[in-house]
Amino acid sequence: MCGLGGSERMTYRIGIIGSGAAPTGSNVPPAAIREIAADGFAPELIEPRLRTFPMTPYDRGLTALAYLDCALEAEKAGFDAVFINTVGDYGIDEMKSATGMVVVGAGEATMAMCVNTGRRFSIVTIWPPKLNFIQLERLSSCGMQDRCASIRNVQEDREVEGVEQAAATTASLKDRNESLKRRIVDAINAAVSEDGADTIMLGCTCMAPVGPDVAAQVNVPVFESMRTGYKTAEALLTLGVRHSDAAYPKPNPENLSAVGALVAGQGNMDLGGDCEVCVIPEDES
């Protein structure tokens, strides 16, 4: 691991990439992060210049490029860490290779916490099976397939066919809708009793508003991905360590400007990408 000289710093800036909301022009992070940020840490929202949602593997590649651009710009601006505020961890390996900051993804960090507190975990996600490719990629890349008992989907594909249904779901999450929370709790209980899970990972950071409520209603550890991932970033900064350069070799410095040039060449491009399934309204409190 590479030292950061953490003890010499009084305040650490953590860039939050991915708000789960439409662009606001603000640097205010989601409420769940504001509520748990410790003294000495300054989380700030960073909005991507290229906006799209990874509904397909192709779109996922565009999202990774957009998030990598955010990380490169964050390092130039003096941030100490970036937190990828999505279970998909888009661009995480590229960020670790290209930057010297602490880089944490919500998905990777939460899976690691699950296996530190149990033997097998299940992912319980509000979204339907057609989006499971996001979690499956993370399980494969993180080597967690054998530790994951199941992916439990709270909704079916027919329930989320477009933006309107997705917006209704996220509005229900924000309002802590009792019916939706009950469905999440039922999915958790089924993962434990039927799939053999002893630990639960909530499979989308948009579930942050209901995370504490559902955790209080079950008898196994429940890790909400936004809070867990953010706190992991704080922990690494406190310890003064980051990812290994042996695992993530540095690229040719001459190539680092290519990402920004590609993204900036099109200005602030919106490819229909105000996230169709992860919208947390900015007035969440």
Side-chain angles (χ1 to χ4, degrees):
M1 305 293 281
C2 300
L4 294 175
S7 62
E8 299 176 2
R9 295 291 300 273
M10 295 299 294
T11 300
Y12 293 104
R13 295 177 69 197
I14 303 177
I16 312 300
I17 302 176
S19 67
T24 65
S26 168
N27 68 345
V28 178
I33 290 176
R34 298 197 306 269
E35 292 166 0
I36 63 171
D39 291 341
F41 297 92
E44 301 176 41
L45 177 64
I46 302 174
E47 295 184 330
R49 293 186 285 181
L50 172 65
R51 295 182 294 275
T52 184
F53 181 75
M55 290 294 290
T56 68
Y58 172 80
D59 296 320
R60 178 189 172 88
L62 291 178
T63 305
L65 179 68
Y67 281 24
L68 175 59
D69 175 58
C70 283
L72 292 169
E73 292 301 309
E75 186 166 51
K76 292 178 186 177
F79 281 84
D80 301 289
V82 289
F83 167 51
I84 308 169
N85 187 27
T86 168
V87 167
D89 297 344
Y90 310 122
I92 188 169
D93 288 352
E94 294 84 351
M95 292 181 199
K96 290 179 179 180
S97 175
T99 76
M101 300 179 293
V102 164
V103 177
V104 174
E108 185 174 82
T110 307
M111 290 179 192
M113 191 64 72
C114 285
V115 299
N116 272 307
T117 53
R119 297 186 182 279
R120 300 192 76 205
F121 67 94
S122 282
I123 300 173
V124 174
T125 175
I126 195 67
W127 303 116
K130 64 184 176 183
L131 292 175
N132 282 357
F133 75 91
I134 296 172
Q135 286 90 354
L136 290 171
E137 186 281 331
R138 286 287 78 206
L139 288 168
S140 176
S141 292
C142 297
M144 292 287 186
Q145 302 101 313
D146 292 341
R147 301 296 295 273
C148 182
S150 62
I151 299 176
R152 284 275 176 170
N153 302 93
V154 174
Q155 296 188 104
E156 299 177 9
D157 287 340
R158 60 178 174 78
E159 294 182 83
V160 185
E161 295 181 346
V163 176
E164 290 184 2
Q165 294 96 327
T169 295
T170 52
S172 294
L173 288 169
K174 174 182 177 288
D175 294 337
R176 297 176 173 84
N177 178 273
E178 290 299 325
S179 175
L180 194 56
K181 284 194 292 185
R182 172 46 53 189
R183 292 178 68 178
I184 296 170
V185 170
D186 288 346
I188 291 173
N189 288 332
V192 174
S193 63
E194 299 175 20
D195 305 332
D198 51 39
T199 312
I200 299 297
M201 168 181 172
L202 297 185
C204 182
T205 55
C206 68
M207 299 173 75
V210 301
D213 293 343
V214 299
Q217 298 182 50
V218 299
N219 295 320
V220 296
V222 175
F223 290 98
E224 186 279 303
S225 303
M226 184 186 297
R227 293 176 177 87
T228 303
Y230 172 76
K231 276 299 186 181
T232 300
E234 285 192 353
L236 288 174
L237 287 168
T238 300
L239 292 169
V241 295
R242 62 170 177 82
H243 54 274
S244 168
D245 289 342
Y248 302 95
K250 295 303 177 189
N252 184 335
E254 296 180 359
N255 293 338
L256 291 177
S257 62
V259 173
L262 286 169
V263 175
Q266 298 299 324
N268 291 319
M269 181 183 291
D270 190 337
L271 303 179
D274 294 347
C275 177
E276 294 184 4
V277 296
C278 293
V279 180
I280 300 177
E282 281 303 299
D283 62 353
E284 176 206 343
S285 59

